[in-house]
């Protein structure tokens, strides 16, 4: 846990540098910062003792990031395969808990309509791979909801990020600075998925503070009966409320 905060800060700094590089240049900022993003986030997950599948998903994303820095069809397909492997890791991590029905229907409708709309604009050699990838990505985005709001938002942002890429490949009109929005939604997605998988941070007082608190505690009144003490203990236990339950260049 001692390295978790520095690693998270380093990840956020790398994100800022990368986004500046994408938005204003020079290009070497993006080329230097992008490969650092997922290793730093994976390091943060390790420092928080996160699940191995989460770390594996982030490292698969790192492989995708690196391959997609190269401008070639082969690198694009290999990078897309890296992200697809990451989605499989996420799906296994999410387990078999039942998701809500309505979001599942909504995701399915969006998938069918979107793929149908961009199909004609995609290069022939990318149509089948991107359709399969889109199905896997949409399944991950839907299933992410089982881990709570953070992960659900991360899954939706991941879908949005790759949808923006897919519209660029299909030669649709683009937002100003499209690469900036692609990277912004991507890094936000991975961060929120990570936070959702890790759960809340639980901190405990240090041994020294517990010792001081113990020494400072008042001694029990000798005149108090054991029945009274146990009665107050049971009452306080009953009244204590329970704690809370436990960028990129691939396309959708």
């Amino acid at each position: 846990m001692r390295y978790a905060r520095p690693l998270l800060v380093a990840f956020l700094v790398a994100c800022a540098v990368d986004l500046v590089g994408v938005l204003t240049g020079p290009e070497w900022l993006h080329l230097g910062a992008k490969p650092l993003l997922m290793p730093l986030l994976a390091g943060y997950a390790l420092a928080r003792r996160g699940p191995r599948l989460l770390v594996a998903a982030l490292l698969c994303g790192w492989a995708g990031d690196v391959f997609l820095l190269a401008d070639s069809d082969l690198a694009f397909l290999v990078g897309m395969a890296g992200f697809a492997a990451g989605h499989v890791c996420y799906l296994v991590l999410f387990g078999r808990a039942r998701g809500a029905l309505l979001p599942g229907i909504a995701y399915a409708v969006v998938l069918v309509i979107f793929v149908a709309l961009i199909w004609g604009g995609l290069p022939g050699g990318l149509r089948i791979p991107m359709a399969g990838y889109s199905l896997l990505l949409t399944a991950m985005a839907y299933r992410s909801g089982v881990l709570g709001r953070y992960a659900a938002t991360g899954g939706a942002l991941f879908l949005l990020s790759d949808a923006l890429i897919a519209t660029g490949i299909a030669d649709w009109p683009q937002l100003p600075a499209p690469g900036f929005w692609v990277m912004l939604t991507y890094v936000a997605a991975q961060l929120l998925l990570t936070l959702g998988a890790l759960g809340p941070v639980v901190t405990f007082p240090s041994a020294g503070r517990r010792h001081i608190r113990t020494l400072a505690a008042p001694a029990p009144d000798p005149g108090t009966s054991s029945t009274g003490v146990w009665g107050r203990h049971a009452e306080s236990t009953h009244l204590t409320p329970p704690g809370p339950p436990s960028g990129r260049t691939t396309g959708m």
Side-chain angles (χ1 to χ4, degrees):
M1 289 289 291
R2 61 183 294 187
Y3 299 110
R5 182 171 294 181
L7 285 167
L8 180 59
V9 171
F11 167 75
L12 295 175
V13 170
C15 287
V17 171
D18 183 72
L19 291 172
V20 169
V22 171
L23 187 61
T24 65
E27 187 178 2
W28 60 263
L29 281 180
H30 173 61
L31 295 176
K34 186 179 180 182
L36 299 177
L37 298 175
M38 292 307 106
L40 288 171
L41 192 55
Y44 170 70
L46 281 172
R48 288 277 311 274
R49 299 180 181 178
R52 292 182 180 179
L53 282 169
L54 172 61
V55 177
L58 295 172
L59 292 180
C60 287
W62 168 73
D65 287 340
V66 172
F67 275 104
L68 294 177
L69 287 173
D71 187 14
S72 71
D73 289 344
L74 178 60
F76 179 86
L77 290 172
V78 174
M80 187 165 61
F83 287 113
H87 297 326
V88 172
C89 292
Y90 277 129
L91 284 170
V92 177
L93 175 63
F94 298 153
R96 298 183 178 181
R98 181 176 298 178
L101 178 61
L102 288 180
I105 295 174
Y107 272 119
V109 171
V110 169
L111 171 65
V112 171
I113 293 176
F114 186 77
V115 171
L117 289 175
I118 68 169
W119 187 262
L122 295 176
L126 293 180
R127 288 177 178 175
I128 299 302
M130 288 185 67
Y133 176 83
S134 298
L135 178 61
L136 188 60
L137 170 60
T138 304
M140 185 281 293
Y142 164 59
R143 293 292 300 153
S144 64
V146 302
L147 294 187
R149 294 181 181 178
Y150 279 178
T153 305
L157 286 175
F158 214 134
L159 189 68
L160 175 60
S161 179
D162 279 359
L164 292 174
I165 296 170
T167 59
I169 296 174
D171 290 328
W172 284 20
Q174 297 292 292
L175 294 170
F180 173 81
W181 299 110
V182 167
M183 284 303 301
L184 179 63
T185 50
Y186 169 64
V187 295
Q190 293 281 37
L191 176 60
L192 289 171
L193 284 166
T194 299
L195 294 178
L198 292 175
V201 178
V202 179
T203 58
F204 299 95
S206 64
R209 291 175 61 188
R210 287 198 301 268
H211 181 63
I212 294 173
R213 192 176 295 125
T214 302
L215 292 177
D221 185 355
T224 304
S225 67
S226 60
T227 303
V229 172
W230 282 107
R232 284 196 302 274
H233 173 72
E235 181 181 1
S236 65
T237 303
H238 175 71
L239 294 177
T240 301
S246 57
R248 320 200 351 76
T249 33
T250 184
M252 172 180 170

